[in-house]
Amino acid sequence: MLRTADPSNLPAEPNPFVGRESDLDELVHLLGVTRCVTLCGAGGIGKTRLALRLASRLGTAHPATRSGGVCLVELADLDKGELRGHVAAALGIAGDLAETIGDRRLLLLLDNCEPVIGECAELCRDLLGACKGLTVLATSREPLRVPGETVWRVPPLSVSRPDDGESEAVRLFVTRATAARPEFELTGETRPLAEELCRALDGLPLAIELAAAMVRVLSVRQLVERLDDRFTLLAGGARTAPARHRTLRAAVDWSYRLLSPQERLLLRRTAVFRSSWTLDLAEWVCAGPGLTEEEVLPRLCDLVDKSLVVLDGEIAGQARYRLLETVREYALEQLAESGEEAGLRGRHLAALARLGERFKHALAPGVRTSWPVVERFINLFDGLKAEVGAACDWSIATGAARTALALLADTRYLLIGSGRKLDMAERLDRLLALDDAQVPEALRGQATILRGELALAAGDVEPALRYVRAGHEQCTAAGDEYGETIGAIVLSQLTGDQALLDRALELTGRSGDLALESLAKAVRARSGLHHGRLKEARRDFRDVLSVHEELDNHYGQSLAHIGLAQVARRSGDLAAARRHYDAGLRLLRHIDARQHIVSCLAGLGRVALDEGDLTEARARLTEALTLSRDAGLRAGIARRLEAWAVLVAAEGDHRRAVLLAAAAVTLGGRQPDARTEDVLRPVRDRLGEAVVGVLWAEGAAMTAEQAVACALDGELPEPPARPVVPVSRDSRLTAREREIAELVARGLSNRAIAEELVISPATVARHVANMLAKLGFSTRTQIAAWVIGSR
């Protein structure tokens, strides 16, 4: 005789089931085409609850009759050797299981298979082979590994808010919090906190439910603030819940106790990774006493199977692994108790430094490394940026700076190539401040120059000059020609000193470092572009392009294309400018070289503006400003806002044009110039000097966030509490200066202008100097070109 449970006899749900609507639909379909599905996931992920809801949904397809039905068998507290008898008792079978079930249509729900996973696998193999009407739905932290099994990884609840409401995780939190405190509700203030809480808890249902229960005594803000001690905080589960679900620690501890000694060893060692890791890193860092390098991979597979390590996509063609934050917090405790932490963190730093050395060697003089290899390095370090930060933090904490400084110096091209890595500047400051006698003077000098380069990329010119000058002196004194070359190039870029650039080219000619030689030529080309020497700039940028095509360096090629595009645009060849900007973008399509990508997008937006295609201009400039904002690049935001001022002026929004122009000048820390004047001159004619002065004052007071919102969303600043005093722009030429500018455009010398206006040549020279300062120019040719272009 077979006794089965009617779906209505499945345990009644104690509270509302929240979320997972699409998961349930997928699983219903899956169980219609396969006979064995295992729901796998970490403890507390909600496997049992999902399985019970799924079994209830499927109850109509398995009606409770003498010939079949649905049967739940709970296995969490089972000892080995008891499985078959336990299942038989649940089914009401006295004889042979397979023979009694026969062809009956039965859904067998085996919940929490971990304690007897091997016996479960054997039982399912035997029953599925003998009973054609049987379907098995199992829950386990690891797969059963039986023929025909489909493993379905139970995901955390979604933490990203959809367009039409709250995320699954927040919905669960609110539902359970309301049950704990009926008057609880989300507000504009608590919603972001609830979202932050759910993200910090990895969308883990058990953790969210335990946190929600605490709103009876704590605010949401207090919950977020106390998450650093989550195991103490989340210890208030229901008394009637299984012991492993009454506290967050119990849930993780139960999983940990089921691991083999080697699995426990690897799990606690992986906690040294702050964010994620690859197999290579795991082998370099985690191998040691009790776990050889060859044993790391099979044990890592075990931990993935047991849902304690998450396979999180790929990074540079390698599988990437991570721990859920709750599991990592537990593993960190185990690591601290083991006495291995200091050694593990040292190996973690050494492993990253080893990768940095490999990257530096790939770009060394005489080495021809293909771009796909360089690209993999770039993407690998991009994916491991949190690990580099963690390694530097460990060096700072221990006062040993040498290895971390070498890591950063070896990856300097990566650090300055992406604006998102500018947050390394503060760590570099702290490393350089350490009194570590083991740091060679040359390395300290290179790291100091790198600090200056990061400041320059962020738009902080004065500290950049201070750092680079100091680092250049250190490298020169130490006889480090590589560091001296880098310092000379960057110093020349900052000061315009041609002698420094000549020295850099002399040194690169001696070392054969084509990458540094092309960098020096790029600085010379930009200087030529700035001073209006377009033929010279074009020649140097073409040389840079040729060198990097030979080196197969897409990043360097993109730099050259951007320069050639700028030359072409200044020459009026918009088609060539667009071709070069497009080429620069295509070269970088597989890496996040934020600085160059933004330059290409902004350049394409400028070209579209020149052509009068405002729709294309808006699309490109939106992309460029969004990327600059997301990277927190203040100087980049200022440059993008300048282009936006031109765009909105062309669209007829003159008020917003003044606001954005003022914000661009203020955030860029500069004086208004000819480009500013090009925006303001027509606006003055429409709105009047007084209105423009008031708008300028309001725009200059905007924060970067407000200015970006003004550009992207059209949000205007709040009206000031007090009347705004109009502000004048120094870029506006006086009537006399405008008159002299027109004569300069006609090609007259200072003496000829003096004769024309009946003033002294010295007075003309003073007016010309004032115009150059106001317009941001360095030559009379630039004044003439601006006057002609403004007509």
Side-chain angles (χ1 to χ4, degrees):
M1 177 182 179
L2 170 65
R3 183 182 75 244
T4 60
D6 188 288
S8 62
N9 291 332
L10 290 171
E13 292 184 312
N15 45 34
F17 185 87
V18 179
R20 301 206 185 278
E21 291 85 0
S22 61
D23 293 344
L24 281 167
D25 291 340
E26 180 180 338
L27 285 166
V28 167
H29 171 74
L30 189 59
L31 280 165
V33 296
T34 186
R35 296 176 56 213
C36 181
V37 172
T38 303
L39 304 184
C40 283
I45 201 75
K47 300 182 296 294
T48 297
R49 190 69 188 269
L50 178 61
L52 290 171
R53 170 53 68 101
L54 178 60
S56 180
R57 281 267 301 264
L58 292 169
T60 55
H62 299 79
T65 65
R66 291 180 59 84
S67 61
V70 177
C71 183
L72 166 65
V73 184
E74 297 178 343
L75 309 176
D77 300 319
L78 212 59
D79 292 326
K80 292 182 179 180
E82 299 177 349
L83 175 65
R84 290 181 182 262
H86 188 69
V87 173
L91 288 169
I93 294 175
D96 181 76
L97 276 173
E99 182 179 338
T100 305
I101 295 173
D103 294 334
R104 294 178 174 85
R105 189 169 175 77
L106 174 66
L107 174 62
L108 184 61
L109 171 50
L110 301 176
D111 188 33
N112 291 299
C113 299
E114 298 90 339
V116 286
I117 189 73
E119 294 179 51
C120 278
E122 294 176 0
L123 175 67
C124 290
R125 178 200 60 197
D126 295 344
L127 294 182
L128 288 169
C131 308
K132 296 180 180 180
L134 176 67
T135 299
V136 173
L137 174 61
T139 74
S140 175
R141 283 165 171 74
E142 60 182 305
L144 299 179
R145 298 199 190 96
V146 295
E149 177 190 26
T150 297
V151 178
W152 199 87
R153 298 281 177 184
V154 179
L157 294 176
S158 66
V159 294
S160 299
R161 188 199 299 190
D163 295 334
D164 57 350
E166 306 290 356
S167 68
E168 290 181 329
V170 172
R171 284 164 52 199
L172 177 65
F173 177 77
V174 172
T175 301
R176 301 299 189 255
T178 304
R181 195 176 73 186
E183 68 275 15
F184 177 85
E185 63 178 358
L186 285 187
T187 65
E189 180 183 356
T190 58
R191 176 174 282 103
L193 293 170
E195 292 171 349
E196 181 182 350
L197 177 72
C198 291
R199 281 193 298 271
L201 294 175
D202 299 305
L204 199 67
L206 174 63
I208 292 171
E209 295 204 10
L210 291 170
M214 294 300 294
V215 301
R216 70 189 188 278
V217 290
L218 294 175
S219 69
V220 183
R221 182 177 298 279
Q222 286 176 302
L223 287 172
V224 172
E225 291 172 347
R226 292 169 178 263
L227 270 181
D228 286 345
D229 191 12
R230 65 184 63 198
F231 292 117
T232 299
L233 177 67
L234 305 181
R239 293 189 182 93
T240 56
R244 65 185 183 280
H245 284 172
R246 290 176 194 167
T247 69
L248 189 60
R249 179 182 297 281
V252 184
D253 197 48
W254 193 69
S255 296
Y256 189 72
R257 289 199 306 270
L258 293 173
L259 298 179
S260 70
Q262 277 198 333
E263 290 167 348
R264 294 181 188 181
L265 196 62
L266 181 57
L267 181 67
R268 70 171 182 250
R269 288 177 179 175
T270 59
V272 77
F273 296 105
R274 177 172 293 178
S275 176
S276 60
W277 69 89
T278 63
L279 176 59
D280 285 344
L281 284 174
E283 290 173 336
W284 296 346
V285 175
C286 299
L291 186 69
T292 66
E293 189 170 313
E294 293 74 20
E295 290 170 321
V296 169
L297 176 57
R299 297 297 79 76
L300 186 59
C301 292
D302 292 340
L303 293 177
V304 170
D305 283 344
K306 291 175 169 60
S307 306
L308 290 169
V309 169
V310 178
L311 180 61
D312 192 22
E314 293 187 1
I315 171 175
Q318 301 182 53
R320 173 166 55 190
Y321 308 92
R322 67 178 177 88
L323 296 175
L324 293 177
E325 191 57 33
T326 296
V327 176
R328 181 171 182 265
E329 289 291 331
Y330 182 90
L332 277 172
E333 290 183 359
Q334 304 302 315
L335 180 61
E337 292 175 4
S338 72
E340 292 185 319
E341 184 172 7
L344 260 292
R345 293 199 181 278
R347 294 207 295 272
H348 177 261
L349 171 61
L352 291 165
R354 180 176 174 182
L355 285 177
E357 289 175 1
R358 289 184 176 183
F359 174 70
K360 183 180 181 181
H361 175 73
L363 300 181
V367 177
R368 291 294 185 270
T369 304
S370 67
W371 177 250
V373 174
V374 176
E375 187 178 86
R376 284 196 292 274
F377 271 114
I378 293 172
N379 289 326
L380 181 61
F381 272 96
D382 189 56
L384 295 174
K385 57 185 178 293
E387 300 311 313
V388 174
C392 291
D393 291 343
W394 174 251
S395 294
I396 293 166
T398 57
R402 179 172 184 166
T403 304
L405 287 176
L407 165 61
L408 297 181
D410 287 347
T411 57
R412 61 178 296 275
Y413 288 116
L414 301 177
L415 291 170
I416 62 178
S418 173
R420 293 183 301 108
K421 298 191 182 74
L422 296 180
D423 58 355
M424 200 58 68
E426 182 181 348
R427 290 187 172 100
L428 191 48
D429 281 336
R430 296 172 68 188
L431 286 167
L432 288 169
L434 293 175
D435 184 17
D436 184 356
Q438 299 300 313
V439 179
E441 191 69 6
L443 175 57
R444 186 174 294 278
Q446 288 185 30
T448 304
I449 293 170
L450 172 60
R451 179 63 184 88
E453 291 180 279
L454 293 177
L456 179 59
D460 300 326
V461 177
E462 188 278 326
L465 182 59
R466 185 175 69 252
Y467 282 120
V468 176
R469 183 168 283 144
H472 179 250
E473 291 173 357
Q474 288 172 310
C475 290
T476 303
D480 174 23
E481 292 193 352
Y482 175 77
E484 182 187 351
T485 305
I486 296 173
I489 292 171
V490 183
L491 263 183
S492 177
Q493 181 180 352
L494 286 163
T495 65
D497 189 335
Q498 184 62 41
L500 284 168
L501 211 53
D502 292 340
R503 172 61 175 166
L505 288 168
E506 175 192 340
L507 291 171
T508 56
R510 217 153 58 198
S511 67
D513 194 327
L514 296 179
L516 280 185
E517 179 183 351
S518 69
L519 185 59
K521 288 184 176 180
V523 170
R524 188 170 68 188
R526 282 195 290 269
S527 175
L529 178 63
H530 176 71
H531 291 93
R533 302 190 299 272
L534 300 186
K535 288 184 179 179
E536 174 189 315
R538 183 182 295 110
R539 182 190 65 241
D540 279 333
F541 279 128
R542 283 176 175 169
D543 285 348
V544 173
L545 180 60
S546 177
V547 167
H548 285 292
E549 285 177 339
E550 179 186 347
L551 294 174
D552 193 26
N553 187 320
H554 289 198
Y555 186 86
Q557 291 175 48
S558 175
L559 170 69
H561 278 297
I562 291 170
L564 289 168
Q566 292 168 337
V567 171
R569 181 168 174 259
R570 288 277 294 275
S571 303
D573 189 348
L574 298 182
R578 189 187 309 104
R579 283 198 306 273
H580 283 298
Y581 280 130
D582 281 333
L585 269 182
R586 285 196 303 273
L587 287 163
L588 302 176
R589 64 184 180 274
H590 296 310
I591 63 173
D592 190 1
R594 187 66 56 95
Q595 305 277 34
H596 284 188
I597 290 171
V598 168
S599 294
C600 290
L601 291 170
L604 287 169
R606 285 283 196 176
V607 169
L609 274 175
D610 293 341
E611 294 175 329
D613 187 347
L614 301 187
T615 301
E616 173 69 7
R618 175 172 279 274
R620 295 296 192 174
L621 292 178
T622 295
E623 291 181 86
L625 182 55
T626 301
L627 285 174
S628 294
R629 177 199 63 192
D630 293 347
L633 299 174
R634 183 184 177 92
I637 290 171
R639 289 192 292 271
R640 306 295 82 81
L641 290 173
E642 182 179 29
W644 267 90
V646 177
L647 171 64
V648 296
E651 293 174 335
D653 192 343
H654 302 295
R655 291 178 177 271
R656 198 148 58 107
V658 179
L659 291 170
L660 294 177
V665 167
T666 305
L667 293 172
R670 59 180 179 83
Q671 293 298 314
D673 56 19
R675 295 167 301 191
T676 315
E677 185 65 18
D678 287 338
V679 173
L680 297 182
R681 189 187 314 109
V683 177
R684 287 195 201 95
D685 296 338
R686 292 175 178 271
L687 302 181
E689 180 66 37
V691 173
V692 169
V694 170
L695 290 170
W696 183 273
E698 291 181 357
M702 286 197 295
T703 65
E705 293 76 14
Q706 290 172 328
V708 170
C710 182
L712 296 178
D713 307 318
E715 295 182 12
L716 299 180
E718 292 289 333
R722 299 178 180 178
V724 175
V725 178
V727 176
S728 61
R729 276 78 46 216
D730 293 337
S731 67
R732 186 180 181 187
L733 302 185
T734 65
R736 175 63 86 182
E737 288 168 349
R738 184 76 191 184
E739 188 177 18
I740 292 173
E742 290 287 348
L743 295 175
V744 169
R746 285 167 49 190
L748 273 65
S749 66
N750 282 2
R751 183 173 296 280
I753 294 173
E755 292 175 357
E756 177 89 12
L757 300 179
V758 193
I759 57 178
S760 72
T763 300
V764 175
R766 187 171 64 252
H767 281 307
V768 170
N770 288 340
M771 285 188 290
L772 291 173
K774 286 183 177 183
L775 299 174
F777 293 152
S778 55
T779 66
R780 296 165 66 92
T781 303
Q782 290 171 300
I783 294 177
W786 176 70
V787 170
I788 294 169
S790 301
R791 287 171 180 167

